[in-house]
Amino acid sequence: MLILTTVLTTGALTLTACGSRDDNGGGGGEKGGKTKVVIGVDSPTSGDLSALGLGIRNSADLAAKTANKSNTVPGVEFVTQPLDDQAQPSVGQQNAAKFISNKDVVGVVGPLNSSVSQSMQKPLNDAKLTQVSPANTGTELTQGDGWKTGDKKRPFATFFRTATTDQVQGAFAAKYLFSTAKIDKVYLIDDQKTYGAGLAASFKDQFTKLGGKIVGTDHVNPEDRDFNAVVTKVKKAGAKALYYGGEYPAAGPLSQQLKDGGTNIPLMGGDGIYSAEFPKLNKKAEGDLATSVGKPVEQLDSAKKFISDYKAAGYKEGYEAYGGGTYDATWSIIEAVKIAVADNGGKVPGDLRTKVLDAMAKVKFDGVTGPVSFDEFGDTTNTMMTAYQIEKGAWKPKFSEAYKP
C-alpha cells in the first residue's frame, strides 16, 4: 500500500473520521473536512498466490485514490483497509470479523479464492456489509447449491462479483478446446478446492455435450509438486490435452512434469493459472492455454486510463489478471456511496453501511472492463471471456466472446 499501510493493515482499528456522520441522517463532516469512508480489501498478499493478491490490493487502492482526486463523492474521503487472507478460509473468516468491527467499513472487495469467500459470506451478510469480489467464480456463491438442477436461489444478498461464474468459464473453455483447438480427448484433473472442482465440473459437462471424450479423471492436492504418478496415467490414457481445475502454483509444475515425461500436450486451466507467474514455474509452458474473465485490459479503450494511472502510481507489483475487475469492484462500492449520499440530500447518512447495500442494485457505470452492473443474483452482467495461449514465454490472447452456456 502507498497510504496508511502501518495503520490499516492491523485490521483491528476503527478509523477516526476527519468529518462526522449524524445519527439522525446528517453528515458531511466538519467544516472544511471530509468524512472518511473505508473499503476493506481481502486477498492473499503473502504465499503462493500473492502475485494475484497484491494486484487486487493495489488496484483497489488506486480506485480509492482516483475517487478522492476527482472528488467523486463530495464530502467523502475513501481509504482502503487491506488484509492478507493467505488464501486460507479460516483467515478470511477472521478478516471478515475485523471488517465488521470497523464501523467505518462500508464494503469489502475480495477475496481471490471462492473457498475463502464461503467462510466470509455469512458473517458479512449478517452484518449487512456489501462484498464485491473481482475473482470468485464458484457458481454456488450467488446461485446456491441447486443451480446445477436449475433451482437458482441467491444465498446471500450482500455478495456481488465483477467476475463471471465457473458455469460460464468452464463451458467457454470446453467450447474453445473442442471447436477451435479441435481437441476431442481430454484428461481432467482438479485440486479438490471449491474453485477448481467447480471449474472442472462445468468443463466436463459442456465438453461431453459437444461430443468430446473425457479419457480419465483425477484429483491432486493443491500443495503437491510431484505429479509423476498422475503424469503416467495421463500418458497411458491417450489424451490430447489436460484440463486442470486449480491455480498456477501447482499447474506450472504439473505441466512441466507432463512434458518432461514425454507427453507433449497442452495443459489448459481457468483464470487461476492466468498469471505471469505460470510460465516462470514452467520452463515448458509454450502452447499451454488458459481462460480469463473479460477481454485483456490492454485491448480495451476503457482501460487505458487505468493502465496509465497504475503505472504512474509506482506500484512494485503488476495488476495481474484481476486488476481491472478489482478497480471496477471497488468503484461499484464508491458508486453506491455516491448514490446513498445523493439520496440523503448530499450528506453522509449515519447508517451508510446499510444504505450502500440498498444502493448496489442501482449501480451501473462504464468501468475499466466495460459496462458494470449486477443481475438479481449479484452476478456481473458482463459475460465476456478470453482464451489465452503461452507464446514465447508470455500469455497471448487468442479469442474473446461474450459467452452464455
Side-chain angles (χ1 to χ4, degrees):
M1 291 294 298
L2 299 184
I3 58 171
L4 300 174
T5 302
T6 56
V7 176
L8 294 179
T9 53
T10 65
L13 289 177
T14 299
L15 296 178
T16 302
C18 297
S20 62
R21 291 181 229 174
D22 192 291
D23 289 339
N24 294 319
E30 299 171 349
K31 186 177 180 180
K34 290 188 175 184
T35 300
K36 282 189 178 179
V37 171
V38 182
I39 299 174
V41 184
D42 183 89
S43 66
T45 53
S46 64
D48 287 342
L49 295 172
S50 61
L52 297 176
L54 290 165
I56 289 173
R57 184 196 69 180
N58 295 344
S59 299
D61 176 63
L62 179 62
K65 286 182 175 178
T66 302
N68 293 336
K69 185 177 181 180
S70 61
N71 199 29
T72 300
V73 186
V76 168
E77 179 185 359
F78 292 98
V79 294
T80 59
Q81 179 182 358
L83 296 179
D84 178 11
D85 62 32
Q86 302 170 39
Q88 297 297 323
S90 60
V91 181
Q93 190 171 40
Q94 294 168 16
N95 290 350
K98 292 176 182 178
F99 292 135
I100 292 166
S101 67
N102 183 348
K103 300 304 180 183
D104 289 330
V105 174
V106 299
V108 175
V109 174
L112 169 70
N113 304 88
S114 293
S115 55
V116 174
S117 203
Q118 285 177 320
S119 72
M120 300 178 70
Q121 282 183 300
K122 188 179 188 306
L124 293 177
N125 189 74
D126 290 346
K128 299 187 182 303
L129 184 54
T130 299
Q131 176 187 2
V132 189
S133 173
N136 293 163
T137 53
T139 309
E140 65 276 8
L141 297 177
T142 51
Q143 300 177 24
D145 292 333
W147 71 269
K148 291 181 182 179
T149 59
D151 182 23
K152 298 181 179 181
K153 293 180 181 178
R154 188 177 185 179
F156 300 105
T158 51
F159 183 81
F160 301 81
R161 55 179 153 200
T162 54
T164 195
T165 68
D166 286 335
Q167 181 188 16
V168 173
Q169 184 171 199
F172 171 78
K175 179 185 175 185
Y176 180 83
L177 209 57
F178 185 84
S179 301
T180 303
K182 305 300 181 182
I183 290 175
D184 59 0
K185 293 181 180 180
V186 170
Y187 199 100
L188 188 65
I189 299 176
D190 71 72
D191 65 0
Q192 306 175 77
K193 292 168 68 174
T194 302
Y195 163 74
L199 196 60
S202 176
F203 175 90
K204 180 180 179 180
D205 182 60
Q206 186 65 17
F207 193 70
T208 53
K209 282 182 180 177
L210 291 171
K213 183 178 180 181
I214 303 297
V215 296
T217 61
D218 220 320
H219 308 285
V220 297
N221 187 312
E223 305 302 322
D224 287 348
R225 297 295 180 267
D226 183 351
F227 300 105
N228 287 321
V230 72
V231 163
T232 299
K233 295 179 184 178
V234 176
K235 187 174 183 178
K236 290 181 179 178
K240 296 180 182 178
L242 187 158
Y243 188 82
Y244 178 68
E247 295 148 335
Y248 67 82
L254 173 59
S255 174
Q256 179 158 329
Q257 289 171 38
L258 186 70
K259 281 122 183 175
D260 285 343
T263 306
N264 193 24
I265 61 174
L267 178 145
M268 186 178 197
D271 52 344
I273 79 167
Y274 176 60
S275 167
E277 295 300 305
F278 177 81
K280 294 179 184 178
L281 297 171
N282 180 7
K283 296 178 181 178
K284 297 185 178 180
E286 196 74 8
D288 283 349
L289 299 156
T291 55
S292 191
V293 296
K295 291 188 73 172
V297 292
E298 295 80 9
Q299 293 184 359
L300 297 172
D301 289 340
S302 57
K304 287 182 178 179
K305 187 176 186 301
F306 163 74
I307 295 172
S308 175
D309 288 352
Y310 192 97
K311 183 178 180 180
Y315 298 111
K316 294 180 181 179
E317 307 85 10
Y319 49 78
E320 283 280 349
Y322 303 107
T326 297
Y327 191 98
D328 288 345
T330 310
W331 202 265
S332 70
I333 295 174
I334 292 169
E335 285 289 320
V337 171
K338 183 179 180 180
I339 292 169
V341 171
D343 288 348
N344 195 49
K347 298 178 180 180
V348 179
D351 57 345
L352 182 58
R353 183 180 287 185
T354 301
K355 291 296 193 292
V356 164
L357 178 58
D358 293 340
M360 286 299 292
K362 304 176 185 177
V363 167
K364 188 175 184 180
F365 62 95
D366 291 328
V368 171
T369 60
V372 177
S373 61
F374 307 99
D375 66 15
E376 68 270 28
F377 298 103
D379 285 326
T380 177
T381 55
N382 185 351
T383 61
M384 180 66 67
M385 294 294 308
T386 299
Y388 296 83
Q389 190 166 31
I390 294 287
E391 294 181 0
K392 297 180 180 179
W395 292 110
K396 302 295 182 184
K398 305 299 290 184
F399 176 74
S400 297
E401 178 182 40
Y403 185 78
K404 291 186 178 181

